[in-house]
Amino acid sequence: MIGWARHADIAVVTIDNPPVNAGSHAVRSGLVAALAEIAADTAISGVILIGAGKTFIAGSDIREFGQPLADPQLPAVIDAIESLSIPVAAAIRGAALGGGYELALGCDLRVADEKAIVGLPEVSLGLVPGAGGTQRLPRLTGVPAAIELTLSARRVSAPEAQSLGMIDAVSTGDLLEDTISALRRLGGKRRIADMPVPAFDPTEAKAVCDKAIARAKGRPAAQQAAQLILSASEKPFREALAEERAVFQAIRVSPEAFAYRHLFFAERDAARLDTVAVGSKISRVAVIGAGTMGAGIAHAFLSSGYQVILIERDEPSLAAGEARIAGLREEDFKRGRISEAAKQAQANALTAIASLDAAKDVDLVIEAVFEDMAVKRDLLARLGSIVSHEAVVATNTSYLDIDAMAEGFPHPERLLGLHFFSPAHVMKLLEIVRASATSDETMATALSVAKRLGKQPVVAKNAYGFIGNRIYAAYRRHAEFLIQDGATPEAVDRAMTGFGLAMGPFAVADLSGLDIAWRMRKALAATRDPSARYVDIPDRLCEAGRLGRKTGAGYYDYSSGKAQADLAVEVFITASRQAAGITPRVIGDEEIRARCLGAMVNEAALLFAEGVAQRPSDIDVAMVHGYGFPRWIGGPVWWSANLPDDQLKSILAQVAAAEGPLFRAGNVDALISALKQ
């Protein structure tokens, strides 16, 4: 894993631990051994650390963090670098993140390839930098910048990193040769540990700190990282360094850190198929439907460098869609996300046509038309005679049966679901839905598209609601049971946001519009079992014209511009209770959370047993990325797996009692067992 060779009087140490040169125990041991050999050779005047392949060190091996760390630990490697009498340079290509960047900070010089990225992403994993990152970085960038960079967990491009002082030089030629030249010019040791912390305005630092902690949801890792950075200016270097290591050792085995690590690996797993296949290359995409969702999807593809054809049924609808996309593009430009040149390139890559025939030569077609089975079936049947035999065709349906939709499509092996979440250009989750005939190659193509779009894919089998919406439907149903039983909408929302969800279920319902679910309930009314518990409160609201934010009233009143509790809603709730013969009672936050979360877990067990999700961890990824479930809790399955058995059984019993005789109990034990495998 570690080898070194002389380039004249310079020792070049190569780190070779594919695929990303993770800083494992073997890498650390090899570096210490190599540095000891180099120290004994008096003919060597300098050292360069460089990664084999495409990266420096993409980070520490986080699989080690849940166990006792084996020596030598990373601080010992950095001590060995700083103890050398000759200068050491880091030649950075690819990524130097986390422990990889901390190793570079332990060097006397940092030279990066122009496409490299550096940063300290530990806070996003529920950790703090533990090998000097909080102490060395502020000596280069200043305290306010170090706080922002560390708490945001931002990956920083080489040019920006140089401007911030995070690296010393950017190589536009041969990285190794440029680093050798820079090392010779350096002339001797230049330890960051010996540098003072630049003077800073405490008021500015506090403002940056408060903003960064708020953005990080006030999690302990963010708060502790900020305090450690501030201590760089308050304590001697070695004292503050020891404090940082102590905090790191404690926080790495916290429940939060375990949850973050669970998601880290779950996100990687979710982006792959259990089968092996090679997909097709996609360059030209057609998006059919230019409403809010279609425009967002088109913009996401344009932002990722695709050629996009936007298709609508008539010219006025097409013009409205073009205007939506132009607005999204202009917003990105005003916020500094894209340059003027990139904005123009995106505009040039978009073609808008009011004819379905425009889809004949594209590689991928995504339909985002009205959520109606008849409309979508008719569209797909027409597309079947237009698109090429190699093109992949996707539906953006949220609930509808893709197999039923595909009955008139001549090549069902090339048809699948690509369920984007609104707003499609912002939300990271992308459910990739396999229909009965969808081929492995089509699925592999979709996964490669998701990667290029920067989306977090989750593979689902065709089933009502797929993964996310099916679990969310169970959650919302039990939230409705709670208000019929005695809770208020605001109490339920408050309890769930207090748990860590981004929004409560009733605030979400108002935001998305109550009429969407109302239409689905009416469509299913004829097939509903009359003995099933059914809460008619949302129906009563819709019948009164209270459809949510868009009508100024739903579960909340929005006449003031903000959500406010409304006594009129209590009238509808009381009427529903009386009709159902329910005497309301006081329900506390603990019961609210137990029943809502228990409903999620039970539904997760059901859909996993049915094969809708490939693995339990995929369910956690879907709920975190698509529904605002808190990352620091790891997802509903991870949450349940870490509860005491008797507590989990009690929660599931409450869920069963609330739903009544038609409750279907999922095998939660099997779900948790599969998660732990």
Side-chain angles (χ1 to χ4, degrees):
M1 288 189 176
I2 304 296
W4 69 278
R6 285 193 188 86
H7 283 239
D9 60 331
I10 303 295
V12 177
V13 179
T14 302
I15 303 156
D16 189 4
N17 183 25
V20 294
N21 291 337
S24 64
H25 175 251
V27 167
R28 300 193 302 271
S29 298
L31 284 171
V32 169
L35 292 169
E37 292 172 8
I38 291 166
D41 191 333
T42 58
I44 295 175
S45 64
V47 183
I48 293 174
L49 305 183
I50 192 168
K54 297 181 179 180
T55 198
F56 182 67
I57 292 180
S60 297
D61 188 344
I62 68 171
R63 290 172 295 187
E64 298 179 358
F65 286 176
Q67 308 161 2
L69 295 178
D71 292 329
Q73 296 179 37
L74 186 54
V77 181
I78 294 172
D79 283 345
I81 292 171
E82 291 186 327
S83 297
L84 281 178
S85 60
I86 54 176
V88 181
I92 302 169
R93 66 165 61 92
L97 299 171
Y101 182 55
E102 287 183 295
L103 182 70
L105 288 174
C107 297
D108 303 285
L109 181 71
R110 287 148 295 283
V111 180
D113 178 86
E114 59 185 336
K115 294 182 180 180
I117 55 171
V118 299
L120 297 173
E122 285 88 346
V123 167
S124 68
L125 292 169
L127 303 169
V128 299
T134 66
Q135 301 307 302
R136 292 185 176 90
L137 182 61
R139 286 170 161 79
L140 295 180
T141 66
V143 167
I147 290 172
E148 189 278 324
L149 290 164
T150 304
L151 271 63
S152 68
R154 197 155 62 85
R155 275 75 164 163
V156 183
S157 67
E160 184 186 2
Q162 184 182 21
S163 69
L164 290 169
M166 297 174 74
I167 61 173
D168 298 293
V170 175
S171 169
T172 56
D174 185 285
L175 175 62
L176 180 58
E177 292 302 323
D178 287 348
T179 307
I180 289 173
S181 297
L183 186 62
R184 293 194 189 284
R185 290 194 299 271
L186 186 65
K189 296 292 288 183
R190 191 184 61 173
R191 300 178 185 88
I192 294 177
D194 298 332
M195 298 178 182
V197 176
F200 63 94
D201 180 350
T203 302
E204 177 195 358
K206 185 180 185 306
V208 170
C209 191
D210 291 346
K211 184 177 180 180
I213 289 174
R215 192 182 297 120
K217 309 293 185 185
R219 304 317 305 164
Q223 295 187 37
Q224 291 177 310
Q227 186 54 53
L228 289 167
I229 292 168
L230 290 169
S231 72
S233 65
E234 300 166 354
K235 298 178 181 179
F237 179 80
R238 292 295 164 188
E239 180 183 337
L241 198 66
E243 180 184 357
E244 177 200 71
R245 192 63 182 174
V247 171
F248 169 79
Q249 294 284 31
I251 203 170
R252 72 179 176 85
V253 291
S254 67
E256 248 185 53
F258 276 105
Y260 277 111
R261 289 197 290 275
H262 158 68
L263 275 176
F264 177 84
F265 291 112
E267 287 161 353
R268 287 186 173 184
D269 287 343
R272 63 177 176 82
L273 288 171
D274 286 340
T275 55
V276 177
V278 178
S280 305
K281 185 176 181 181
I282 301 294
S283 58
R284 301 186 73 226
V285 178
V287 177
I288 303 174
T292 301
M293 179 60 77
I297 292 171
H299 182 63
F301 276 92
L302 290 164
S303 299
S304 299
Y306 288 93
Q307 296 286 319
V308 175
I309 297 174
L310 185 69
I311 299 174
E312 257 293 0
R313 62 191 175 206
D314 53 48
E315 293 295 341
S317 301
L318 193 65
E322 283 187 279
R324 290 186 187 97
I325 296 169
L328 296 174
R329 190 165 57 241
E330 187 63 30
E331 181 181 353
D332 281 351
F333 174 69
K334 287 180 178 178
R335 291 179 177 271
R337 296 170 184 151
I338 58 172
S339 64
E340 179 69 47
K343 184 176 79 165
Q344 188 58 51
Q346 288 183 28
N348 295 341
L350 177 66
T351 303
I353 303 178
S355 170
L356 208 57
D357 290 337
K360 65 180 179 179
D361 294 322
V362 301
D363 308 307
L364 170 65
V365 179
I366 302 172
E367 71 78 12
V369 300
F370 190 68
E371 187 79 343
D372 179 271
M373 178 62 81
V375 172
K376 290 181 183 287
R377 285 186 64 162
D378 176 68
L379 173 61
L380 289 173
R382 288 189 289 147
L383 276 175
S385 62
I386 295 172
V387 298
S388 76
H389 296 309
E390 292 78 30
V392 171
V393 177
T395 171
N396 182 55
T397 183
S398 302
Y399 288 96
L400 298 178
D401 184 344
I402 300 175
D403 288 328
M405 201 183 298
E407 288 175 2
F409 188 70
H411 300 287
E413 74 280 359
R414 294 187 283 105
L415 179 68
L416 79 164
L418 288 180
H419 178 208
F420 289 81
F421 286 70
S422 185
H425 59 292
V426 174
M427 293 293 286
K428 197 170 181 183
L429 180 64
L430 177 60
E431 282 186 314
I432 300 178
V433 186
R434 182 194 282 272
S436 297
T438 308
S439 69
D440 288 347
E441 292 74 18
T442 297
M443 294 297 293
T445 298
L447 284 166
S448 67
V449 168
K451 182 177 181 180
R452 183 169 167 184
L453 290 175
K455 300 295 186 184
Q456 172 60 63
V458 172
V459 172
K461 188 177 80 172
N462 181 39
Y464 179 80
F466 315 130
I467 295 173
N469 277 346
R470 177 164 163 186
I471 291 176
Y472 197 84
Y475 163 56
R476 184 178 58 211
R477 185 170 69 250
H478 278 264
E480 291 166 359
F481 293 162
L482 280 160
I483 60 172
Q484 195 175 50
D485 288 342
T488 62
E490 52 270 24
V492 174
D493 281 355
R494 197 165 49 241
M496 298 315 295
T497 55
F499 177 77
L501 269 74
M503 295 176 70
F506 298 111
V508 170
D510 276 358
L511 182 63
S512 59
L514 274 64
D515 53 323
I516 298 171
W518 188 35
R519 282 197 301 268
M520 285 190 291
R521 288 194 301 274
K522 288 194 289 186
L524 296 171
T527 59
R528 186 183 303 121
D529 190 323
S531 63
R533 182 175 182 184
Y534 182 78
V535 177
D536 64 354
I537 295 168
D539 295 347
R540 292 171 183 266
L541 293 173
C542 290
E543 289 161 4
R546 301 177 67 101
L547 305 182
R549 283 181 177 269
K550 60 187 174 186
T551 59
Y555 283 99
Y556 296 94
D557 176 76
Y558 297 93
S559 58
S560 68
K562 295 182 179 180
Q564 293 183 321
D566 191 341
L567 291 176
V569 175
E570 184 61 31
V571 173
F572 293 114
I573 294 174
T574 299
S576 177
R577 289 168 180 162
Q578 290 173 346
I582 293 173
T583 301
R585 61 182 177 82
V586 175
I587 301 176
D589 287 358
E590 185 176 347
E591 182 180 345
I592 290 171
R593 291 169 183 160
R595 286 168 58 176
C596 286
L597 295 167
M600 290 188 195
V601 173
N602 186 72
E603 200 66 31
L606 290 170
L607 68 84
F608 177 66
E610 296 162 16
V612 179
Q614 290 189 107
R615 50 188 79 85
S617 59
D618 287 359
I619 297 167
D620 285 341
V621 172
M623 298 310 294
V624 167
H625 282 283
Y627 300 86
F629 199 96
R631 289 188 67 86
W632 57 88
I633 297 174
V637 184
W638 181 262
W639 170 80
S640 68
N642 287 278
L643 289 177
D645 287 346
D646 57 346
Q647 184 180 352
L648 180 57
K649 287 177 182 176
S650 173
I651 287 170
L652 294 171
Q654 291 180 65
V655 173
E659 188 135 358
L662 293 189
F663 174 74
R664 287 199 306 142
N667 191 338
V668 175
D669 288 343
L671 177 75
I672 292 172
S673 177
L675 181 77
K676 293 179 177 179
Q677 287 178 359

